[in-house]
């Protein structure tokens, strides 16, 4: 396709959906991508650009002039436009903004850029259909025909009073079903969910999921209607959140992908490995302190990886359950009852596992006291690991820290050290050294 | 509120959104919940029931007669109705279905119940707005007024030909903007994304996310329009998928919640712990084989938890990246280049960590050859662990097994054993035993 047969290429690409073209460009080399982008109309390419992989979009934009970017931006809805500009280096941002011809569009984008990251304001679009409560259905339909051309998809029509305050909503369906001389205030629903422009995106996602909304209006502290957020953007937020939590649990910082460079991947992975290493070195230290019993009860040392693994696994399980519970707001009941439950649970698990250890010791002909000491200490380690896994996230959450960082390497490492220490102390008490 | 002051209670609860009432009921005891459900109109309670926590809904439904459930079901959209019935025990399902008075609704629900779980058919609703290509805009608007009353939210209007085959779509906006004597076929868009009724829900979610759709029509193999899926249901699917992956990575089977019973939690956790225990016992076995070198190089044994931890952590990182990459379809390039990259990456990480180990050995005054042997073996273990973490999910995926099961306990356990084995073999080669 890359034989520079412009006309043919243009015809073929125009038939594809922009998301598909973006996928093709993700595969092409940079030069060809820029070539294709310059070839097609900005009406289509702006959408293609938004669908491109972030890294590739960044590179393509570098090869476009401020004027060319401004043209792309003019075609985008305000929310996407602001996102695209926000990705540019600071010095180019102002340049691109100044080249946007449509003054209203420019002002709206500038407003959106001012909101803090991860707030409702940063995700909302200014495009929406707004009607005043005093209008009639007929007049409303006429004016909506004008407003709606700008808005890609009409979800709800928002009703405002003359101070631009949000007072209700209305669906297109209601409007079509109503008689043309009815007043808007007669047919509109006066309960309308909205979010504050400074609300966290997680709050917005929760509200929209709870009430199954497809769009939600965004207001300021005075209830003035500022914009709206649509569900497709929230889907992206939810996906990113889920990926972030998953990566954190696996010991990865930042948003890495399989196809990132080795340097980026190292930056995401190494810090957690170093943490794990320090944990391991801590265990070395603890075990060195018991060097003198190596001759008398060598088998204790054989069990240390098992103890570390059990402490780590139990801790990760407990923390994962609690982290998800916190995220879904279904961690109820008092701390005391949770403590009891976690202890009960880990005693059951620990008991089964301890029996297996004793059985194994019997099979390999291990000293019975030793087997018993190992099994009992392991059971205690499991209980303690479960408690750490449960309460560290709860405490972090109470202090306003994202509990998700607790799952994964953090809990594993601290449980490894704690587990091995406890294991030697308790075995020592039972065997007597 | 529970003083049986029916009128007042009814008034108060009617003012709440049903999702809020559901939240209140989740907290109440069963008897009170059933009481409230019986008190309110089925129009509202049907929605409340759908929002309830699954376990609680099950219990409440047990306390309602088949007739009462059928009344609730009549008020629900077909997709929710089918979901609610599917949750009932088999013998009650038929009873409830037979009590549904609206024949069309009953047939549609029966149709939906027949689709396999996790397919588009199982999630779709029969409610949609359908127009024939030959209609005029004016006639269409009139008929839509009728159809739309049944459909909670109109997303797109689907255009079919006289064989009921999906041939295009149209937004309410387009209809309002058009002139009343235009023909539908003139204003409809003839490109319309659709999914097959047997498509997997993951496919549906991907298509909808890619094209930012809010609803997608579902067709059979002959392109006949059968129903539609809306984005709010897909949001739930995405959330569930993310939670499932997260839980699998943490070593939890089934969909457990913090507030489940101890028995349910044990069932979800114990199997993975037993797996981890077998892994640990495997390590015991390996180390027992090296018992004779305990006197000469005891420090090797102190490092085993560290080696196991590093092998586990590296493996989980690698597999998490690959599992996400597979889920997002961005694992590109040949197996060979991926192999090279993973080796390069783990060599860099391993080298840094090895230096730290040597430094630590120097500080605690450890024999230099021993430190070197430990550092070099650890580096090799890291490389192997990364390769296992990367290629096990890829191989699982190629064989049609969900690669997500590889992250977490499975990779950790196998890497623990493999790592400790390699560690002793390589240290043996370097130190000479």
């Amino acid at each position: 396709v890359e034989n520079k047969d412009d006309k043919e290429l243009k015809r073929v690409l125009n038939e594809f959906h922009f998301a598909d073209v973006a996928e093709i460009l993700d595969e092409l080399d940079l030069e060809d991508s820029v070539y294709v982008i310059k070839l097609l109309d900005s009406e289509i390419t702006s959408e293609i650009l938004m669908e491109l992989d972030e890294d590739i979009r960044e590179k393509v934009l570098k090869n476009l002039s401020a004027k060319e970017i401004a043209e792309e931006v003019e075609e985008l809805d305000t929310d996407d436009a602001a996102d695209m500009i926000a990705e540019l280096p600071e010095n180019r941002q102002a340049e691109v903004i100044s080249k946007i011809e449509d003054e209203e569009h420019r002002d709206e984008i500038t407003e959106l850029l001012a909101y803090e990251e991860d707030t409702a304001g940063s995700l909302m679009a200014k495009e929406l259909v707004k009607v005043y409560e005093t209008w009639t259905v007929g007049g409303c339909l006429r004016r909506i025909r004008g407003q709606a051309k700008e808005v890609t998809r009409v979800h709800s029509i928002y009703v405002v009073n003359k101070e631009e305050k949000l007072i209700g909503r209305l669906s297109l369906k209601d409007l079509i079903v109503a008689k043309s001389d009815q007043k808007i205030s007669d047919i509109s629903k006066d309960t309308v969910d909205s979010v504050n422009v400074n609300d966290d995106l997680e709050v917005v996602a929760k509200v929209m999921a709870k009430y199954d909304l497809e769009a939600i209006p965004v207001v300021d502290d005075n209830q003035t209607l500022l914009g709206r957020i649509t569900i497709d953007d929230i889907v992206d937020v939810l996906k990113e959140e889920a990926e972030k939590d998953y990566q954190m649990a696996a010991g990865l910082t930042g948003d890495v992908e399989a196809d990132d460079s080795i340097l980026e991947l190292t930056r995401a992975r190494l810090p957690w490995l170093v943490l794990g290493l320090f944990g391991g070195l801590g265990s070395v230290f603890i075990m060195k302190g018991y060097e003198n019993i190596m001759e008398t009860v060598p088998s204790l040392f054989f069990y240390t990886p098992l103890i570390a693994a059990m402490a780590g696994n139990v801790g990760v399980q407990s923390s994962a359950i609690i982290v998800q519970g916190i995220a879904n707001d279904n961690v109820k009941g008092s701390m005391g009852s949770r403590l009891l439950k976690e202890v009960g649970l880990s005693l059951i698990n620990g008991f089964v596992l301890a029996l297996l250890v004793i059985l194994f010791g019997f099979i390999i002909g291990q000293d019975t006291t030793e087997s018993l000491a190992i099994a009992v200490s392991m059971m205690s380690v499991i209980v303690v690991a479960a408690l750490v896994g449960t309460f560290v996230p709860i405490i972090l959450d109470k202090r306003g820290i994202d509990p998700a960082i607790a799952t994964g390497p953090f809990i594993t490492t601290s449980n490894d050290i704690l587990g091995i220490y406890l294991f030697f102390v308790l075995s020592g008490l039972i065997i007597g050294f």
Side-chain angles (χ1 to χ4, degrees), chain A:
Chain A
V1 196
E2 285 306 319
N3 292 327
K4 314 260 160 178
D5 180 357
D6 290 6
K7 254 198 204 148
E8 176 64 10
L9 186 63
K10 217 166 151 175
R11 199 187 56 74
V12 171
L13 289 178
N14 273 331
E15 276 177 20
F16 281 114
H17 188 283
F18 49 80
D20 294 317
V21 180
E23 254 182 26
I24 298 169
L25 294 193
D26 275 342
E27 305 286 327
L28 288 181
D29 61 30
L30 181 62
E31 202 188 323
D32 290 339
S33 298
V34 174
Y35 175 76
V36 170
I37 295 284
K38 289 194 177 180
L39 180 69
L40 299 174
D41 290 340
S42 58
E43 200 179 321
I44 308 160
T45 53
S46 57
E47 300 283 356
I48 296 175
L49 278 172
M50 284 315 293
E51 292 289 328
L52 278 183
D53 199 79
E54 211 175 301
D55 310 343
I56 295 171
R57 177 167 59 242
E58 199 188 314
K59 285 181 200 146
V60 171
L61 289 181
K62 260 193 199 145
N63 284 279
L64 297 181
S65 69
K67 179 80 196 131
E68 282 168 326
I69 298 178
E71 274 167 23
E72 305 283 356
V73 163
E74 299 246 21
E75 296 292 337
L76 289 171
D77 280 352
T78 46
D79 54 341
D80 290 336
D83 288 347
M84 193 189 276
I85 292 178
E87 282 173 20
L88 296 172
E90 291 231 357
N91 53 342
R92 287 200 85 189
Q93 289 190 8
E95 199 187 342
V96 170
I97 292 173
S98 69
K99 294 255 161 72
I100 299 173
E101 279 169 16
D102 179 341
E103 207 170 308
E104 197 190 333
H105 201 55
R106 186 169 65 218
D107 292 346
E108 286 176 347
I109 292 171
T110 316
E111 178 199 332
L112 291 182
L113 282 171
Y115 294 112
E116 256 176 273
E117 225 186 318
D118 293 330
T119 61
S122 70
L123 197 70
M124 73 179 184
K126 300 295 292 181
E127 286 84 1
L128 50 77
V129 179
K130 184 171 78 176
V131 298
Y132 291 87
E133 55 172 338
T134 49
W135 290 358
T136 62
V137 168
C140 191
L141 271 172
R142 244 173 296 126
R143 287 181 222 207
I144 281 183
R145 289 196 176 116
Q147 286 187 41
K149 273 183 195 144
E150 267 180 39
V151 182
T152 328
R153 272 175 239 168
V154 179
H155 293 87
S156 269
I157 300 162
Y158 300 116
V159 183
V160 295
N161 64 16
K162 58 181 187 299
E163 284 104 37
E164 303 284 333
K165 284 186 188 170
L166 178 69
I167 54 167
R169 78 187 156 86
L170 182 76
S171 69
L172 261 187
K173 197 185 88 185
D174 298 331
L175 210 56
I176 295 178
V177 177
K179 295 200 190 73
S180 118
D181 56 351
Q182 277 184 292
K183 262 180 78 174
I184 292 297
S185 51
D186 295 334
I187 62 162
S188 72
K189 298 174 185 77
D190 52 352
T191 50
V192 50
D193 296 300
S194 64
V195 289
N196 188 284
V197 69
N198 295 316
D199 277 348
D200 195 273
L201 283 182
E202 274 184 51
V203 175
V204 180
K206 260 185 208 169
V207 172
M208 292 188 76
K210 183 172 164 191
Y211 300 117
D212 284 345
L213 301 175
E214 275 143 20
I216 196 163
V218 180
V219 297
D220 67 9
D221 295 336
N222 298 319
Q223 201 64 15
T224 311
L225 181 62
L226 294 180
R228 64 152 184 185
I229 292 176
T230 50
I231 187 76
D232 51 324
D233 292 327
I234 288 293
V235 169
D236 296 339
V237 170
L238 285 175
K239 275 182 85 172
E240 265 171 45
E241 282 290 322
E243 289 188 3
K244 218 179 64 189
D245 284 356
Y246 187 79
Q247 295 197 331
M248 263 204 270
L252 297 163
T253 22
D255 182 27
V256 286
E257 279 173 25
D259 283 12
D260 281 348
S261 73
I262 287 194
L263 191 74
E264 285 171 297
L265 284 167
T266 303
R267 216 182 296 139
R269 297 174 65 157
L270 193 54
W272 293 106
L273 294 179
V274 171
L275 175 70
L277 185 81
F278 285 139
L281 294 177
S283 304
V284 173
F285 230 80
I286 293 169
M287 289 163 79
K288 251 187 131 53
Y290 288 95
E291 200 165 357
N292 58 321
I293 59 150
M294 253 190 157
E295 268 178 60
T296 44
V297 271
S299 52
L300 284 192
F301 291 85
F302 304 151
Y303 281 87
T304 50
L306 184 147
I307 295 298
M310 295 321 279
N313 289 352
V314 169
V316 168
Q317 287 185 336
S318 300
S319 61
I321 291 180
I322 282 295
V323 167
Q324 279 198 335
I326 292 174
N328 296 329
D329 282 334
N330 61 12
V331 179
K332 287 154 199 158
S334 70
M335 290 286 251
S337 66
R338 186 150 302 279
L339 188 88
L340 267 180
K341 187 175 184 179
E342 205 55 40
V343 170
L345 182 64
S346 41
L347 277 177
I348 295 175
N349 285 338
F351 186 71
V352 176
L353 298 168
L355 284 184
L356 289 173
V357 165
I358 292 174
L359 185 69
F360 175 80
F362 181 75
I363 292 169
I364 64 166
Q366 195 170 257
D367 177 81
T368 321
T369 322
E370 275 180 36
S371 287
L372 212 66
I374 291 165
V376 171
S377 328
M378 185 187 71
M379 218 167 126
S380 321
V381 167
I382 286 173
V383 174
V384 173
L387 292 180
V388 172
T390 304
F391 289 98
V392 168
I394 292 182
I395 292 165
L396 287 180
D397 183 54
K398 290 226 161 120
R399 304 208 160 180
I401 303 168
D402 184 354
I405 64 156
T407 339
F410 190 74
I411 286 279
T412 319
T413 304
S414 50
N415 270 352
D416 277 6
I417 304 188
L418 191 62
I420 286 176
Y421 178 70
L422 260 179
F423 175 66
F424 277 99
V425 170
L426 293 174
S427 302
L429 286 177
I430 295 168
I431 302 176
F433 55 79

